[in-house]
Amino acid sequence: MTLSIRPRSLLPIAIGLATAQLIALFYVRQTSLGQLQRVEALEAAGWLAIPAGPAAALLNSYGAAFWGGLFFTLSVGGGLTLATWALCSLWQRLFGCGRRLVWGFAGMWLALIAGVNAGGWALFPTLFVVFVPLVTFLASVQRAPRGRAGSTRTLWFLPLVTLVLLTALWTTQLNRQMFSTIRDHLLLSNSVGRQVNDFYYRYTLFAAQAFKSFGQQTVRSCRLDPSVASIGGVDWASLLARHDVLTISGNGPVDVTVAAAAGQLRLVSAHGDVIEVAPADFKKDPRVWLQRFSESEDRYGPFRRITLFGLLIGFPILLYVCVDGMIGRVAERISKEAAVVWIRSIVCFVIGIVLFLPMLGSRTDDIAMDRLAEALAAEPWTRRVAALRQIADHHLDIADYPGYRPLLESPMVVERYWLARAMAGSRSPAAYADLLRLMRDSHPNVVCQAYYALGRIGRREAAKAIQQQMVQSDHWYAQWYGYRAMRRLGWHQTRQKQ
């Protein structure tokens, strides 16, 4: 039987993404339920858990698991699907679907499976790298159709050339500000973009929690083994709490168990990974040993790298393929064969250029220090935001520019966002009061930056205000920012009840 690859990519890509979404749903759901169990145990023990309140209630939601799982679908799922489909296409065009090369593909696949488990067995990452490429490959292969290929086969490279040109164009914007520029000028500046932005920030942490290492978690649960009591002179629960490792009782799962044996302190992970340290050394610098423990028990490092690659490379290409496919379906109704390929490529290139133009418009020359006040009142919003960014980047005191106050009422999220961030360099009581006001803003991105700025200004009394506000929020990302701000202000966990 002679094999070939389906000429239309929609079916294998759709099946690959659907498989990734199914795995991601169960992955995020399982992680969220485990996180909810830890939150309940921490709260019962008298600690402040993150997420808390309404945000923690979403851990039991199938909706949060589904939409959080979409992060994995569009990153690692999209990357694996497109890589498999691209290899299949090259296999046909360069080697005529020769069966000997299949063994080479199988070797690459096994190497990927082994790589994702290099730090230890990881169930759901393994499911991703096993089943997403497998179903995509099976959906791509078909019996070779009879008859002569159409004239479009000679133009198969044209969409690829278009993609390469657009990639080269967007690569010119690669810098540390690229993502914030995309957020400010392509997302927060319009209603559709804000919905995309809000979706990302609402559900990202449900997915991220699934593969965070011990050291990357906001708070960690701990069980103190009775053997630790033999090491006297140290309140281990309080010492650990100062580093966001919070002791709980009961038999539920915990992130680390602290025990003692032969005069050594033993940190034991849920998977059985162990590091030992002299109690005096741990007491001297717990942060160092907790980081070493995190590195020793981290099983998701390879999967995080695959996910990052999928997000940075796979997702943009997936968007291109989807848009190209939709344009192709429309073009087929008004034209035939080779003209369709040209229409697809030209329209995709034009769309890429249109989206690129706001990035060029975001470039502004540094504003002279004596012109910042004038820029804060300028008519183009881009110049006002540029002034706020410059004040934030140079840690200037925004109170020296009282013209900023009308921006508190700005209808543009991006302006209020940068206004809050620019206040981080101020020690003015008026700016502090304005930050407390922005802390209650209707948009979570603004709230996050208000928390960030409050953490930077150094007023310790702000920690209480932040805690009271953030525990009422249903937004995990905002609570995460709030907790980090409190810790920066010198606040640390204390047990509220026994």
Side-chain angles (χ1 to χ4, degrees):
M1 180 179 65
T2 304
L3 300 176
S4 71
I5 303 302
R6 296 181 186 276
R8 295 179 182 272
S9 60
L10 179 61
L11 179 62
I13 289 178
I15 291 177
L17 292 177
T19 302
Q21 179 63 21
L22 183 63
I23 296 170
L25 171 63
F26 285 103
Y27 186 23
V28 178
R29 175 67 176 169
Q30 181 198 59
T31 304
S32 295
L33 290 178
Q35 180 71 9
L36 179 60
Q37 189 175 358
R38 285 174 172 79
V39 165
E40 291 172 344
L42 289 171
E43 291 178 342
W47 305 109
L48 172 63
I50 297 295
L58 293 174
L59 290 167
N60 198 30
S61 164
Y62 274 101
F66 179 86
W67 296 119
L70 197 61
F71 170 81
F72 287 119
T73 300
L74 297 179
S75 55
V76 65
L80 291 172
T81 298
L82 289 174
T84 304
W85 178 76
L87 286 174
C88 287
S89 298
L90 290 174
W91 177 43
Q92 173 174 272
R93 297 187 184 281
L94 301 181
F95 301 98
C97 290
R99 300 198 179 192
R100 290 184 179 179
L101 197 60
V102 171
W103 294 108
F105 289 159
M108 294 168 59
W109 186 32
L110 291 175
L112 180 63
I113 295 171
V116 85
N117 288 286
W121 169 252
L123 174 60
F124 282 99
T126 302
L127 294 179
F128 276 111
V129 299
V130 168
F131 287 103
V132 174
L134 178 61
V135 299
T136 304
F137 176 79
L138 294 177
S140 299
V141 175
Q142 65 175 0
R143 286 191 178 189
R146 296 180 180 180
R148 209 161 42 91
S151 60
T152 58
R153 288 182 63 87
T154 62
L155 296 174
W156 66 270
F157 64 88
L158 193 57
L160 178 60
V161 171
T162 305
L163 176 60
V164 170
L165 290 174
L166 288 175
T167 301
L169 182 67
W170 278 81
T171 301
T172 63
Q173 301 300 304
L174 282 178
N175 54 54
R176 289 184 299 176
Q177 288 78 39
M178 180 178 179
F179 290 105
S180 63
T181 301
I182 290 175
R183 181 198 60 217
D184 294 349
H185 293 267
L186 291 183
L187 299 180
L188 291 181
S189 61
N190 61 87
S191 59
V192 175
R194 282 194 297 274
Q195 292 181 26
V196 174
N197 173 87
D198 295 353
F199 176 87
Y200 174 84
Y201 284 103
R202 176 164 290 279
Y203 295 109
T204 298
L205 287 183
F206 290 93
Q209 187 65 30
F211 63 9
K212 280 185 174 182
S213 68
F214 176 86
Q216 292 171 327
Q217 297 180 49
T218 308
V219 295
R220 290 71 63 90
S221 59
C222 167
R223 181 176 293 109
L224 286 177
D225 189 84
S227 60
V228 177
S230 63
I231 305 177
V234 179
D235 184 350
W236 293 106
S238 296
L239 178 64
L240 290 165
R242 285 183 171 273
H243 297 275
D244 303 310
V245 180
L246 311 176
T247 57
I248 61 175
S249 57
N251 297 318
V254 292
D255 298 305
V256 59
T257 299
V258 180
Q264 294 288 96
L265 209 61
R266 290 168 52 89
L267 306 182
V268 186
S269 76
H271 303 294
D273 305 288
V274 180
I275 68 166
E276 294 187 348
V277 53
D281 291 338
F282 185 87
K283 181 182 177 182
K284 182 179 179 181
D285 197 345
R287 184 178 289 103
V288 169
W289 293 100
L290 291 173
Q291 181 58 35
R292 291 186 185 180
F293 171 75
S294 177
E295 294 168 357
S296 71
E297 65 92 39
D298 183 12
R299 300 190 171 199
Y300 294 104
F303 186 62
R304 285 197 298 272
R305 288 189 285 274
I306 292 174
T307 304
L308 179 61
F309 179 82
L311 182 64
L312 297 179
I313 306 298
F315 178 62
I317 296 177
L318 179 63
L319 280 180
Y320 175 85
V321 169
C322 291
V323 172
D324 177 75
M326 289 187 291
I327 294 170
R329 300 300 180 271
V330 174
E332 287 172 353
R333 297 178 180 274
I334 60 176
S335 187
K336 294 182 179 179
E337 297 185 346
V340 172
V341 181
W342 282 102
I343 292 172
R344 286 163 45 196
S345 299
I346 291 172
V347 174
C348 283
F349 189 75
V350 169
I351 292 174
I353 293 295
V354 169
L355 292 175
F356 182 75
L357 291 177
M359 301 291 288
L360 291 179
S362 68
R363 291 184 174 181
T364 56
D365 296 329
D366 284 344
I367 302 169
M369 293 299 179
D370 59 353
R371 305 296 295 273
L372 282 174
E374 176 186 334
L376 287 173
E379 181 56 33
W381 69 266
T382 54
R383 187 156 180 82
R384 297 195 298 269
V385 167
L388 291 171
R389 291 190 68 156
Q390 190 164 322
I391 290 172
D393 292 343
H394 290 82
H395 309 290
L396 304 177
D397 191 336
I398 199 168
D400 294 336
Y401 309 93
Y404 79 83
R405 294 193 58 81
L407 301 182
L408 291 165
E409 306 292 341
S410 173
M412 297 194 66
V413 172
V414 64
E415 281 194 277
R416 303 198 308 276
Y417 172 99
W418 280 106
L419 174 60
R421 193 170 185 89
M423 289 182 178
S426 179
R427 296 299 179 265
S428 164
Y432 176 70
D434 289 334
L435 276 174
L436 294 179
R437 174 181 172 182
L438 289 172
M439 186 177 68
R440 296 171 175 81
D441 194 272
S442 60
H443 198 277
N445 285 59
V446 180
V447 174
C448 288
Q449 293 311 306
Y451 287 152
Y452 167 84
L454 285 168
R456 293 275 172 173
I457 62 177
R459 296 184 59 155
R460 295 176 64 89
E461 66 270 24
K464 183 177 181 181
I466 292 172
Q467 182 174 352
Q468 291 175 342
Q469 178 65 23
M470 77 176 192
V471 295
Q472 303 174 40
S473 172
D474 66 349
H475 208 284
W476 190 348
Y477 212 87
Q479 290 190 353
W480 178 59
Y481 259 86
Y483 191 90
R484 291 171 63 191
M486 292 164 60
R487 295 290 285 120
R488 187 174 181 85
L489 289 168
W491 174 93
H492 63 83
Q493 290 269 8
T494 55
R495 198 189 298 266
Q496 300 301 311
K497 59 183 178 180
Q498 299 293 335

